[in-house]
Amino acid sequence: MPTEPLSQKEIEDRLRELPGWSLEGDRIARSYRLDSHFAATALVVHVAQIQEELNHHSDLTLGYNTVALTVQSHDVNALTERDFALAERVEQIAPAHGAN
């Protein structure tokens, strides 16, 4: 995937396609609440698997029954298509873990 930084308009347009995600400084972020610590841990493992597959890694925080992600392409210190591709993949799998 291209590592060219996205424009502010492109970022805003892409965020409209990702309910629950927001711009926090120069990153996109999302928190999920789950029914238990075990469910949250399972989501973290699944997200880690996706990150390995995409070779693109977010900051991932596990709480008791929460998971938080912040995503940015560190190699260009900006948001790129890769960040949104990761966010979209996480959105696809999160409901199966009971995340909301």
Side-chain angles (χ1 to χ4, degrees):
M1 261 192 205
T3 56
E4 293 296 315
L6 296 174
S7 70
Q8 188 63 36
K9 179 173 179 355
E10 290 170 316
I11 292 168
E12 291 168 4
D13 290 346
R14 295 298 306 268
L15 277 174
R16 278 194 277 287
E17 300 168 12
L18 289 169
W21 286 81
S22 62
L23 187 61
E24 292 185 4
D26 56 357
R27 301 166 184 262
I28 55 172
R30 171 92 152 83
S31 293
Y32 296 94
R33 181 167 297 281
L34 296 101
D35 291 335
S36 68
H37 183 65
F38 185 81
T41 302
L43 177 59
V44 166
V45 171
H46 201 163
V47 170
Q49 180 182 19
I50 291 168
Q51 291 178 86
E52 285 297 306
E53 180 184 316
L54 296 176
N55 192 28
H56 188 53
H57 302 84
S58 68
D59 291 330
L60 190 56
T61 305
L62 172 65
Y64 168 72
N65 64 344
T66 59
V67 175
L69 290 90
T70 57
V71 185
Q72 179 202 54
S73 293
H74 301 292
D75 56 338
V76 294
N77 202 30
L79 289 167
T80 68
E81 284 295 326
R82 293 183 311 165
D83 302 310
F84 286 93
L86 175 57
E88 288 167 0
R89 290 283 304 276
V90 173
E91 281 298 300
Q92 290 170 359
I93 59 105
H97 292 275
N100 53 41

